[in-house]
Amino acid sequence: MINYEVIEYKEILLELYSGLIADLNRIIKKYSEHQAQSLIMLREKVNTIRDDILSKKYSTMEDVMQLKGIYLFVKEYIEELNS
């Protein structure tokens, strides 16, 4: 059985990852398709992770802390693109 705290983190991370996808979509629209290719690939990876968050793939606190680290990395990258 999954720890309740892990479930809470997973629900929060699901929302945060959805926000990353929305941010990436806005940034991608600013570039031509060729220029945005790496961002499109990043968005697809973030989308795949988001789709798997509620699965059993991420069921421990270590798993959700790894997801948090990925989120923070991508968020910082997006902030740098916006500045």
Side-chain angles (χ1 to χ4, degrees), residues 6-62:
V6 170
I7 293 169
E8 282 185 318
Y9 268 104
K10 288 172 69 162
E11 290 175 0
I12 292 167
L13 286 166
L14 183 65
E15 293 298 321
L16 292 173
Y17 271 79
S18 294
L20 287 179
I21 294 167
D23 291 342
L24 285 166
N25 283 335
R26 281 190 288 278
I27 292 170
I28 288 169
K29 287 181 182 179
K30 295 179 183 179
Y31 297 98
S32 70
E33 185 175 331
H34 177 71
Q35 292 172 318
Q37 198 61 28
S38 60
L39 292 173
I40 292 168
M41 291 171 51
L42 177 60
R43 180 189 61 197
E44 294 306 312
K45 181 62 179 170
V46 170
N47 192 49
T48 299
I49 292 170
R50 187 205 53 194
D51 289 347
D52 288 342
I53 287 176
L54 296 180
S55 72
K56 291 184 180 186
K57 182 175 183 178
Y58 303 108
S59 58
T60 67
M61 187 56 74
E62 184 178 298

